[in-house]
């Protein structure tokens, strides 16, 4: 669902270019998306399962992936053919790709666990694996590097009327690499601190 909010106000003060609705992170203003429908009901990606074919989909909850399995054919780059994982009971399993056009395994590891998973699978700087008895599948010096906390400067603008509820959305990217986000509809004055959604009206960093 398109979300304009802060982006429209930036456009009104001649912040350019206006890129319309896009998922790409490009310089200028953009219309992002939201998981709130027209009735203000919040949705998660789990709702997409209603549109999936259950006969061709297996969802594993509480599974911990230990490594991605790779093979090398000739001098070609390593090719992933499966994963090794552990279920919630501690039982170890392996899942393999069968080679079909729609055959895939989707891992959800996040920003921190994704490079860790690649390292355990042998894709990372060679020096990281020295002494760990992990075979280097492909040396990539940038894996696990450059992780940093994003600093935030928050500006709170009180509204005399009730604002539409929205989650944090990126509405503009600058040429020097920072970006502008917009969020609305939250009561920061009377709400207890756990409801600040990661922001504080008193402290910003």
């Amino acid at each position: 669902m398109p979300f304009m909010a802060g982006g429209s106000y930036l456009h009104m003060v001649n912040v350019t270019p206006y890129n319309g609705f896009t998922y790409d992170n490009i310089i200028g203003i953009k219309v992002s998306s939201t998981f709130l429908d027209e009735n203000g009901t919040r949705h998660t990606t789990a709702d997409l399962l209603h549109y999936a074919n259950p006969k061709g989909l297996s969802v594993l909850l509480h599974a911990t992936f230990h490594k991605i399995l790779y093979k090398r054919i000739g001098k070609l780059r390593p090719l992933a053919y499966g994963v090794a994982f552990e279920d919630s009971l501690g039982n170890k399993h392996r899942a393999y790709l069968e080679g079909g056009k729609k055959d895939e395994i989707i891992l959800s590891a996040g920003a921190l666990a994704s490079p860790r998973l690649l390292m355990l699978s042998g894709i990372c700087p060679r020096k990281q694996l020295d002494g760990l008895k992990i075979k280097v599948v492909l040396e990539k010096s940038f894996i696990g590097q450059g992780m940093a906390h994003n600093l935030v400067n928050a500006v709170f603008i009180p509204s005399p009327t009730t604002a539409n509820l929205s989650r944090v959305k990126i509405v503009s990217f600058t040429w020097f690499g920072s970006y502008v986000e917009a969020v609305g509809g939250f009561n920061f004055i009377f709400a207890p601190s756990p409801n600040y959604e990661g922001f504080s009206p008193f402290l910003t960093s």
Side-chain angles (χ1 to χ4, degrees), residues 45-91:
T45 52
D47 292 338
L48 296 176
L49 295 176
H50 294 294
Y51 301 94
N53 179 9
K55 295 182 179 179
L57 178 66
S58 297
V59 180
L60 303 181
L61 302 178
H62 310 295
T64 303
F65 288 90
H66 293 295
K67 66 182 300 184
I68 303 172
L69 306 176
Y70 290 94
K71 61 182 178 181
R72 189 186 296 272
I73 302 177
K75 296 183 179 181
L76 298 178
R77 298 180 64 182
L79 179 67
Y81 68 93
V83 294
F85 67 96
E86 184 177 313
D87 62 26
S88 59
L89 299 177
N91 300 315

Side-chain angles (χ1 to χ4, degrees), residues 120-140:
L120 292 174
S121 305
I123 299 181
C124 70
R126 185 178 297 273
K127 63 180 181 180
Q128 298 283 352
L129 300 182
D130 290 344
L132 297 179
K133 297 182 180 180
I134 298 178
K135 181 181 178 181
V136 177
V137 175
L138 184 65
E139 185 171 8
K140 289 292 184 179

Side-chain angles (χ1 to χ4, degrees), residues 10 15-19 26-30 170-175:
L10 292 174
V15 176
T16 57
Y18 174 67
N19 301 302
I26 52 181
I27 295 176
I29 308 170
K30 73 174 196 175
I170 298 174
V171 294
S172 177
F173 273 84
T174 65
W175 61 270

